[in-house]
Amino acid sequence: MAKSESRTEFFYNEKGLIAIDSPVKLQILNLLREEPRSFDEIVKYTAKAKSTISVHLNNLRSCELVEESFNPKDRRRKIYSLTSRYMGCSQEPFIEHYRKLLEKAPANGYDRFCFAEILFHALCFGFEAYGINNAPVVKTIGSDLGISVSSIFKSGTQDELLKEIGDFLEFHGKCRVSVLTDPIALQIEDSFKASSMPVIGKPFCSLIEGIIEGILKGKLEKDYKVTETECYGTGHEHCLFKITI
């Protein structure tokens, strides 16, 4: 991970991608990613002077990353909320996973499905190799895709829709999908990933995570959150996507 003083994070609004490298601004933005906060809460969290926070908040508002509103319970107090989406950050380049993947490419060069998987993961690990953590934007793209295709799903209940999503994922890849109930989750087993992907110590299926989340949100019109907690990248023999509302 990049050191805090040299870290850059990327946020997206209607104006496009905006890079922020100020440590104080990043403290504010990451606090507001959790939920809207009052001015006093921001001051307490950052441990900075009120005048300093006021300057940074005004700058973030001018960039349209943050908006200001009145507290409905006390109009003398202001509430600040995020009006942008977190898209990723800079990090120390880590090339090991990328090299391992490239080493596997020659043996799978004439296997159409396996090489397509390698191409996809080369993009993911390639960003990491060149110093960018792009998992948030990949998940966002997956969610956009999921919302877009949600109209083709016929199920009207959560249980039925999860089974239909499982069938959809099996149809589009060499995998087996199980629907779990405690906790609610989708478990995906895929022999290619098990044999070909390196153990990197963290999940790497951000796109699938986003697709599942987008289908659920688009079809059932509820605010679902899908989190991959187990993955071939963490040394497991499956990928586990936990689902919460």
Side-chain angles (χ1 to χ4, degrees), residues 201-237:
K202 61 182 180 180
F204 52 61
C205 301
S206 302
L207 186 69
I208 300 301
E209 197 178 48
I211 288 173
I212 297 169
E213 191 173 284
I215 294 171
L216 288 165
K217 286 181 178 181
K219 190 64 181 180
L220 300 182
E221 298 182 345
K222 294 180 180 179
D223 191 18
Y224 280 88
K225 181 177 181 180
V226 177
T227 305
E228 186 183 19
T229 58
E230 297 175 2
C231 180
Y232 290 108
T234 56
H236 294 83
E237 294 299 315

Side-chain angles (χ1 to χ4, degrees), residues 74-93:
D74 184 354
R75 292 189 61 81
R76 295 171 298 178
R77 304 181 66 186
K78 294 178 180 178
I79 299 293
Y80 296 88
S81 56
L82 203 64
T83 55
S84 52
R85 290 190 291 180
Y86 176 62
M87 289 290 159
C89 65
S90 62
Q91 63 176 30
E92 292 182 6

Side-chain angles (χ1 to χ4, degrees), residues 32-219:
L32 297 183
R33 283 170 60 192
E34 299 173 0
E35 62 181 344
R37 303 280 185 165
S38 69
F39 180 81
D40 290 339
E41 286 177 314
I42 296 171
V43 169
K44 181 178 180 181
Y45 177 78
T46 58
K48 300 295 182 181
K50 290 185 177 181
S51 58
T52 299
I53 297 305
S54 180
V55 169
H56 284 298
L57 282 171
N58 286 336
N59 184 263
L60 291 171
R61 288 174 59 210
S62 69
C63 296
E64 298 182 16
L65 296 177
V66 167
E67 69 177 0
E68 177 186 271
S69 60
F70 288 104
N71 188 330
K73 296 181 180 179
D74 184 354
R75 292 189 61 81
R76 295 171 298 178
R77 304 181 66 186
K78 294 178 180 178
I79 299 293
Y80 296 88
S81 56
L82 203 64
T83 55
S84 52
R85 290 190 291 180
Y86 176 62
M87 289 290 159
C89 65
S90 62
Q91 63 176 30
E92 292 182 6
F94 190 79
I95 201 166
E96 181 182 351
H97 307 147
Y98 189 52
R99 284 176 176 162
K100 287 181 178 179
L101 191 65
L102 293 178
E103 289 170 1
K104 296 179 183 296
N108 294 282
Y110 287 98
D111 183 318
R112 183 177 298 173
F113 178 81
C114 289
F115 195 73
E117 288 277 0
I118 287 175
L119 285 174
F120 169 73
H121 288 289
L123 287 173
C124 295
F125 295 145
F127 277 94
E128 180 182 72
Y130 291 105
I132 300 173
N133 176 359
N134 70 333
V137 69
V138 170
K139 181 173 181 178
T140 298
I141 292 169
S143 180
D144 292 341
L145 285 170
I147 291 171
S148 178
V149 301
S150 65
S151 60
I152 70 175
F153 289 79
K154 303 186 183 303
S155 303
T157 67
Q158 177 180 286
D159 291 346
E160 292 174 347
L161 183 56
L162 288 175
K163 292 178 182 177
E164 195 175 354
I165 292 173
D167 293 340
F168 177 80
L169 295 174
E170 287 184 348
F171 177 76
H172 286 286
K174 293 180 180 178
C175 62
R176 298 185 303 277
V177 182
S178 303
V179 179
L180 308 182
T181 57
D182 188 20
I184 299 172
L186 290 179
Q187 180 173 294
I188 300 177
E189 297 172 86
D190 184 321
S191 59
F192 167 71
K193 287 179 181 175
S195 61
S196 299
M197 299 308 298
V199 174
I200 64 173
K202 61 182 180 180
F204 52 61
C205 301
S206 302
L207 186 69
I208 300 301
E209 197 178 48
I211 288 173
I212 297 169
E213 191 173 284
I215 294 171
L216 288 165
K217 286 181 178 181
K219 190 64 181 180

